[in-house]
Each structure stands twice: as C-alpha cells, then as structure tokens.
Amino acid sequence: MKNSFFVFLLAGHLISFAQNLPANYDESKLPPYTLPNPLLSPQGKTVTTVKEWEQQQRPYILKLFTEQVYGKIPGKPSGLHFKITESGSALNGKAVRKQVTIYFSEGADAPHMNLLLYLPRGRKQIPVFVGLNFNGNHTVNEDAAIIPSRYFKKKDEQISDSEAIKSSRGTSASRWPIDEIINRGYGVATAHYYDLEPDHKDGWKEGVRTSMKENLHIASNEWSAIGAWSWGLSRIQDYLETDKDVDATQSVLIGHSRLGKTALWAGANDRRFKIVISNNSGEGGAALSRRIFGETIRNLNTSFPHWFIERYKSYNDHPEKLPVDQHMLLSLMAPRPLYVASAEEDKWADPKGEFLSAKNAGPVYALYHLKGITSETMPSVNQPTGEMIRYHIRTGKHDVTLYDWQQYLNFTDHHQRNH
Ligand code: GCU
C-alpha cells in the first residue's frame, strides 16, 4: 500500500517533471531525426508526376493531418448567408469600409461572425488579404465606426464595457497596417477568432463546434479549435466570392502565431486561397516537430489541449512516430505561392525549424517545375529568400510588423504580375 502510493507519487512527479522540462535552445543537444519524404507513397513508391501527387499523394497526406493532428474541417453549411451591416468611407476617403455579418445558417438568430473589410476606393477586382485577429475587430484600427467584437479583454474589472472598448480601439493597429495595404492596392478582411470559438479549453461549448453540430453533421471532438478557426476563414472566402468589388480568385491568406497555424491548415484544405502566409506560426504550424528546439508537441498539447484533436497527444514525446512532419503541411500549398516568416528573437517558434520545413516542401513544388528555396543555409536577418516558397527571418520579437507586411505585399505583387 505504502509502496504503491509512493510509486504513484513518483509517477506523478515524473509526469510533471517531463511537462516542465526546460525548452531546448541548444543546437548541439538536438536529437538526430529523419524527415518523412512527402513524395513517398504508402506503397513505398516515389511520386514523380503532378497527376500522381494531385490524385493520390496529396489526398493521402491531407488525410494523415486530418486523422492525426488537426481533425476534420466540414464544408459550407446550408443556409449560409450574409448581411452588410454597415458601410462607409474610411481612412480619409481612401478606402471603403464594409462590415458584414456572416450567418452560418438560416435566420437572423443563426450563429455568425462579424467581418470587417477595407477596400481601396475607386478600384475594381480587388485582391484581398484574409486573416483572423486576436483581440477583436475594433482593435485593428482606430476607426471609431468599427463595430466592437463580442468578446473583449478588460484590463480592469472596475471599468465599464464601453470604456473598455473605447480604450482598446486600435491597440492592435501595428499588426494591421491597413493604410499601407490600401495604398498598395489591396483590400483586407478580418474577423475576431473568438467569433468562431473562444480560445480556452471549454471554448468549444460556446463556439461553432457546438452551435453548428447538427447543421454540419460533425461531433465536436472530430475537429479542433484550429479546425473551427480555419473553417471560419473559408466562410470569409465564401463571402468574398459574392462581393462584386473583390477579385476572390486572388485571395491571400495570412495568420500570425496560433492564427498562422490556422492559416496553414485552412490553406491546405481550401485551395481557393491563392497565396498563403505563415507569420511566426511555430510548433504545430510551419516549424518541424522532429526538431526538439523551443516549443514541443507536448508543450502545445499541455497548454492548449483544445487546439488539436486528442490523437495528437499520443505524439507528445514521440514526434518521430508521426507519419507526417510540418514540411508536408507546407507542401500541401503547392503549386501556390507560400511565404514563411520567422523572427530572430522568437526562439520558442524555432526559426531554423521553420526555415528547414519551408525548404523541405521544395520537392513537391519541383513536381510543378517551380522553385522553392535554393539556399542551403538560413539567410541573414531581413534578407528574404526563395521563389514560390519564400522565407525571411526578421530582427526582433514574436510579432507581425510593418516590415513583415511589406515583404508580403512585395511577394503578392510579384506573383500577381507573373500569373
Ligand atoms: C504560445 C504558443 C505558441 C503560439 C503562441 C501564439 O506561445 O505556445 O504555439 O504560436 O502562443 O499564438 O502567440
């Protein structure tokens, strides 16, 4: 009795010890690893043509990510409809603002998300950057006409909701350089990710994984929070396809950090997104899981048990047993232009693991005769490299900055001219 109690205690101690292991930031302590080959079929044959890739290998890899990592993503719900709630002139007349309620089923009481869209005035067929935001639509710009998102953080419980909204207006503006985007001739569409599912372990009860269960014929544990957020990105694209001012065949998907993981999963599933951008998406996003540097699968699943499906937890200490690694997720973007960006001080996200992942998606792009990253070593800071797959490591910390956006705008200009 005494002994088994001791063993129990010891086991508990070991588990918490493993969970709290300090992250590895030492290249010399990396356990060796071998990456799975994205072109190797389950029959052991190497895929050599676009046809084999498109018809067999790509669906096979997508299924592996669905079953082992992120869960399913349901399709368009029946009764999906849109309502322009507000529109007006914005940014000193340079832009048009539209706020659109995207209802996920029939009726005015249906679960919904609120989309905020800015388009350069006087242009037609506008390509739009699409991305979810962290803190609410009203934080992306100081524009007082932005309808506040339903969930907002209060720094101080004593202040009223309206005070809290007022003081948070524009607080994420540095991550959304709307002026610059508009000046460059693009639109930008964003929604608060909490509209789809609040980001905590019980958030699914309040989000689309519960409210849309019957309509979508899917149990809440068959998908994940990242799945729910990704699904929302596709619903934004559904709206853009109906907006006559927009060229929805040119949509650029963008996401930072956990929302970068989300953008990659959405881009893998929804090929209507023409360009995909991952900003500092890290572990479970662009970074290789087999490289034990910074965050690990165990860290992810311990702090954020709702982001992925249950099955992913079985790889907590065994990334080598996963039939995929994240370069294979990136390869699912082919042949579309893909941008992966890191930040020098964002060691937790493993910049080198993001670079190697982007580089190792290259053989799939090569099937389409497209060039990925040719450089063998990581580029210096602020020196973007690569053609259809482009990579940079920016100076500074985990964030989305004007520098990042300028590179994404240049990349988008380049690929739109070429296509
Ligand atoms: C945490 C988490 C990362 C995530 C990041 C973010 O740091 O560990 O995986 O990318 O939050 O979303 O900001």
Side-chain angles (χ1 to χ4, degrees):
M1 180 69 195
K2 226 179 179 179
N3 273 349
S4 61
F5 182 63
F6 176 72
V7 170
F8 174 74
L9 263 186
L10 185 71
H13 182 75
L14 283 179
I15 287 166
S16 63
F17 175 71
Q19 280 171 1
N20 297 325
L21 269 184
N24 175 44
Y25 291 117
D26 183 346
E27 288 287 336
S28 73
K29 293 207 175 108
L30 273 184
Y33 64 90
T34 312
L35 291 181
N37 177 356
L39 296 176
L40 191 66
S41 81
Q43 293 76 33
K45 186 179 166 296
T46 303
V47 165
T48 54
T49 65
V50 166
K51 193 169 169 219
E52 288 169 313
W53 168 258
E54 291 278 342
Q55 294 183 354
Q56 291 149 30
Q57 188 70 357
R58 188 181 189 282
Y60 163 67
I61 294 175
L62 187 60
K63 190 160 176 270
L64 289 175
F65 278 105
T66 304
E67 289 173 354
Q68 312 293 329
V69 184
Y70 303 99
K72 293 184 185 165
I73 298 197
K76 215 187 231 189
S78 62
L80 179 79
H81 64 287
F82 315 106
K83 187 177 161 217
I84 312 262
T85 320
E86 190 273 344
S87 71
S89 170
L91 308 177
N92 299 319
K94 256 194 331 213
V96 174
R97 179 191 55 252
K98 297 187 193 182
Q99 302 192 70
V100 183
T101 312
I102 300 180
Y103 291 98
F104 302 137
S105 54
E106 269 157 36
D109 300 329
H112 57 270
M113 73 197 289
N114 293 319
L115 181 71
L116 170 66
L117 176 64
Y118 286 100
L119 297 172
R121 176 183 290 283
R123 289 211 179 212
K124 292 209 168 2
Q125 296 289 300
I126 305 161
V128 174
F129 283 84
V130 180
L132 297 172
N133 66 71
F134 274 84
N135 299 312
N137 290 353
H138 57 289
T139 68
V140 307
N141 191 272
E142 275 177 8
D143 183 349
I146 300 175
I147 301 166
S149 290
R150 274 172 285 171
Y151 297 88
F152 47 85
K153 279 188 203 127
K154 273 199 197 179
K155 273 190 238 112
D156 176 358
E157 279 306 317
Q158 303 301 316
I159 60 169
S160 67
D161 289 0
S162 62
E163 277 300 316
I165 289 164
K166 208 169 151 204
S167 64
S168 63
R169 281 197 184 278
T171 48
S172 302
S174 67
R175 288 184 171 181
W176 297 91
I178 296 174
D179 242 65
E180 177 92 1
I181 300 169
I182 295 289
N183 288 344
R184 299 277 297 255
Y186 296 98
V188 56
T190 186
H192 187 208
Y193 78 136
Y194 270 54
D195 280 6
L196 295 148
E197 176 168 328
D199 188 4
H200 56 82
K201 77 173 177 19
D202 295 320
W204 62 274
K205 294 179 190 165
E206 285 172 62
V208 293
R209 283 200 282 154
T210 295
S211 62
M212 292 300 292
K213 215 161 150 171
E214 271 92 51
N215 184 317
L216 296 170
H217 308 287
I218 182 168
S220 43
N221 64 357
E222 287 180 271
W223 48 332
S224 59
I226 288 182
W229 301 327
S230 299
W231 181 82
L233 286 166
S234 290
R235 305 294 69 85
I236 297 178
Q237 175 65 8
D238 293 341
Y239 165 73
L240 293 175
E241 288 180 342
T242 70
D243 190 320
K244 59 174 184 14
D245 298 330
V246 167
D247 181 356
T249 67
Q250 300 297 312
S251 295
V252 186
L253 186 53
I254 180 164
H256 168 59
S257 209
R258 68 198 67 186
L259 296 177
K261 310 182 207 300
T262 301
L264 290 173
W265 184 228
N269 283 279
D270 191 338
R271 299 178 88 181
R272 292 175 300 171
F273 294 109
K274 166 75 191 304
I275 297 181
V276 182
I277 301 168
S278 151
N279 190 92
N280 306 181
S281 64
E283 187 75 15
L288 295 174
S289 309
R290 280 168 175 74
R291 256 180 65 91
I292 306 299
F293 189 101
E295 188 167 30
T296 62
I297 297 179
R298 175 178 282 283
N299 295 134
L300 270 180
N301 285 330
T302 307
S303 307
F304 312 101
H306 53 294
W307 284 4
F308 302 86
I309 51 167
E310 272 311 297
R311 173 92 190 141
Y312 194 45
K313 299 192 170 80
S314 64
Y315 300 105
N316 273 353
D317 301 312
H318 293 287
E320 78 286 358
K321 293 201 173 140
L322 256 174
V324 289
D325 209 316
Q326 299 304 111
H327 64 304
M328 291 162 79
L329 178 68
L330 299 185
S331 75
L332 297 178
M333 309 308 155
R336 297 165 292 167
L338 165 70
Y339 206 122
V340 173
S342 311
E344 194 180 19
E345 292 167 36
D346 187 16
K347 301 260 190 285
W348 182 240
D350 186 12
K352 189 166 179 192
E354 297 191 307
F355 168 75
L356 290 173
S357 180
K359 181 165 175 61
N360 281 288
V364 175
Y365 279 74
L367 289 179
Y368 295 87
H369 305 290
L370 295 170
K371 244 197 226 153
I373 297 171
T374 46
S375 155
E376 288 305 323
T377 51
M378 271 186 88
S380 322
V381 287
N382 306 333
Q383 296 291 328
T385 184
E387 274 284 319
M388 286 305 272
I389 308 174
R390 201 159 172 82
Y391 174 86
H392 75 238
I393 176 164
R394 153 182 68 67
T395 40
K397 60 183 177 52
H398 185 70
D399 198 1
V400 198
T401 67
L402 184 59
Y403 174 86
D404 295 317
W405 272 99
Q406 283 165 341
Q407 311 321 306
Y408 305 151
L409 289 160
N410 294 346
F411 184 65
T412 304
D413 279 354
H414 176 75
H415 287 291
Q416 293 207 326
R417 265 204 305 276
N418 287 352
H419 286 84

